[in-house]
Amino acid sequence: MLSKKTKYGIKALVHLAKKEDRVPVQISSISKAENISQKFLESILLTLKKNGILGSKKGKGGGYYLLKDPKEIPMTSIMRLLEGPIAMVPCVSLNFYEKCDDCPDENACAVHNIMIKVRDNTLEIFRNTSLADLSHP
Amino acid sequence: MLSKKTKYGIKALVHLAKKEDRVPVQISSISKAENISQKFLESILLTLKKNGILGSKKGKGGGYYLLKDPKEIPMTSIMRLLEGPIAMVPCVSLNFYEKCDDCPDENACAVHNIMIKVRDNTLEIFRNTSLADLSHP
DNA sequence: CCATTAACCTATAGACTTAGTAGGGTAAAT
DNA sequence: ATTTACCCTACTAAGTCTATAGGTTAATGG
């Protein structure tokens, strides 16, 4: 299940991508338009900023804006940043790998093998979908 | 992320599917072979029994056994039973649908639309994978 | 018929995560 | 100087996950 954090984060990014110019948008503005708790959204936008997706400007007329072209922001980055691993099991995760305690041999594990398939499939979708694709469906 | 409940459940089912005959296998036996806490496994097998996947026999020589041919048990059933929805968001779930509080129009929602893609892809894999496929890789 | 075996059932608890809330501090425009 | 809005820390209520404990019921063997 996708966390609300990720869901809200994506919605906010799409909101920003839909603006043609790069004029800063205020948190309160996004929060109202997308029905997201302002304080919660604040923390989400902050992590997006710290990870190089968003820029911000303080003071009057300030707000958040995209640092890159929406075409250059793939879903994989957004998901890994907000949600964490894309794989359903840590032992098949590319970026967040962890060995299973109970599994003596990964290659012989039925769960492992099918979850690799699922991961590859999901990854393919996320790799081929950018923020730009999300913004004009 | 896949819960341990689901993971253990799949492992136990594969374990049973690998036995050629339908002789009952005891919880303790599966628990040892698969490195699963016995009591936890007990509750998992019980829900599999209540939902028509497994049969059981009490007393000496008792245990759990598959009720159907492994070919006839698709991953979709196992996943929905143990893990719940296959979709990443309730608003794109076929069997566990729920409307989002924050979303005025599902069809206009970017998250909704990409998650439908992911769901369809994952579903295709799970539909075309049976317990038999898991058991001889 | 009685002892043994193993499934069945209920309750509970510790650890962890989620989805926020509260409340202020800091920097930059005007 | 004052407004505006970003930035940060801490906390918490609720829920889920992963079990554990302990007793009950039913089948089998002698």
Side-chain angles (χ1 to χ4, degrees):
Chain A
M1 280 283 129
L2 204 71
S3 67
K4 301 229 169 182
K5 182 178 159 193
T6 306
K7 190 182 162 196
Y8 292 163
I10 296 172
K11 283 191 163 192
L13 286 171
V14 169
H15 186 95
L16 291 174
K18 275 181 173 161
K19 309 255 162 193
E20 260 135 70
D21 41 19
R22 297 281 175 86
V23 172
V25 181
Q26 295 142 28
I27 295 178
S28 62
S29 168
I30 304 174
S31 145
K32 276 173 204 156
E34 305 293 339
N35 290 310
I36 305 170
S37 145
Q38 178 164 342
K39 276 290 190 178
F40 192 27
L41 180 60
E42 204 177 300
S43 72
I44 297 167
L45 295 180
L46 214 52
T47 77
L48 288 170
K49 189 208 159 174
K50 282 181 183 166
N51 287 280
I53 308 280
L54 295 179
S56 68
K57 197 188 159 195
K58 293 183 180 178
K60 188 160 194 175
Y64 284 98
Y65 53 91
L66 291 172
L67 282 176
K68 288 184 268 184
D69 190 310
K71 282 194 196 72
E72 307 304 319
I73 306 176
M75 271 297 283
T76 42
S77 305
I78 304 174
M79 289 296 290
R80 291 200 174 111
L81 231 154
L82 295 174
E83 189 72 8
I86 287 164
M88 295 185 89
V89 191
C91 73
V92 304
S93 172
L94 297 176
N95 289 254
F96 299 84
Y97 174 84
E98 262 177 70
K99 198 184 174 315
C100 300
D101 298 332
D102 56 303
C103 223
D105 178 13
E106 275 183 8
N107 293 19
C109 175
V111 177
H112 181 85
N113 292 322
I114 186 162
M115 290 310 161
I116 282 187
K117 271 195 199 174
V118 175
R119 181 207 63 193
D120 285 343
N121 245 271
T122 307
L123 216 43
E124 170 114 4
I125 295 175
F126 286 157
R127 278 192 180 133
N128 292 320
T129 306
S130 71
L131 184 54
D133 298 318
L134 289 187
S135 306
H136 38 69
Chain B
M1 280 282 131
L2 203 70
S3 66
K4 300 227 169 184
K5 183 179 160 191
T6 306
K7 190 182 163 197
Y8 292 164
I10 296 172
K11 283 191 162 193
L13 286 171
V14 169
H15 186 94
L16 291 174
K18 275 181 174 162
K19 308 254 163 194
E20 261 135 69
D21 41 19
R22 296 281 175 86
V23 172
V25 181
Q26 294 145 29
I27 297 177
S28 63
S29 168
I30 305 174
S31 144
K32 276 172 205 157
E34 305 294 340
N35 291 310
I36 305 170
S37 143
Q38 178 163 342
K39 276 292 192 179
F40 192 27
L41 180 59
E42 202 177 304
S43 70
I44 297 167
L45 296 181
L46 215 51
T47 77
L48 288 170
K49 190 212 156 171
K50 283 181 181 162
N51 287 280
I53 308 280
L54 295 180
S56 68
K57 202 188 156 194
K58 291 184 181 178
K60 188 161 192 175
Y64 285 96
Y65 51 91
L66 291 173
L67 281 176
K68 289 184 269 185
D69 190 311
K71 283 194 196 70
E72 306 304 319
I73 306 174
M75 272 297 284
T76 43
S77 305
I78 303 174
M79 289 297 289
R80 290 199 174 111
L81 232 154
L82 295 173
E83 189 71 9
I86 287 164
M88 294 186 90
V89 191
C91 74
V92 304
S93 172
L94 298 176
N95 288 253
F96 300 83
Y97 174 84
E98 264 177 70
K99 199 185 174 313
C100 298
D101 298 332
D102 55 303
C103 224
D105 178 14
E106 275 183 8
N107 294 18
C109 174
V111 177
H112 181 84
N113 292 322
I114 187 162
M115 289 310 162
I116 283 187
K117 271 196 199 175
V118 175
R119 180 207 64 191
D120 284 343
N121 246 271
T122 307
L123 216 43
E124 170 113 1
I125 296 176
F126 285 158
R127 277 194 181 131
N128 292 321
T129 307
S130 71
L131 184 54
D133 298 319
L134 289 187
S135 307
H136 38 69

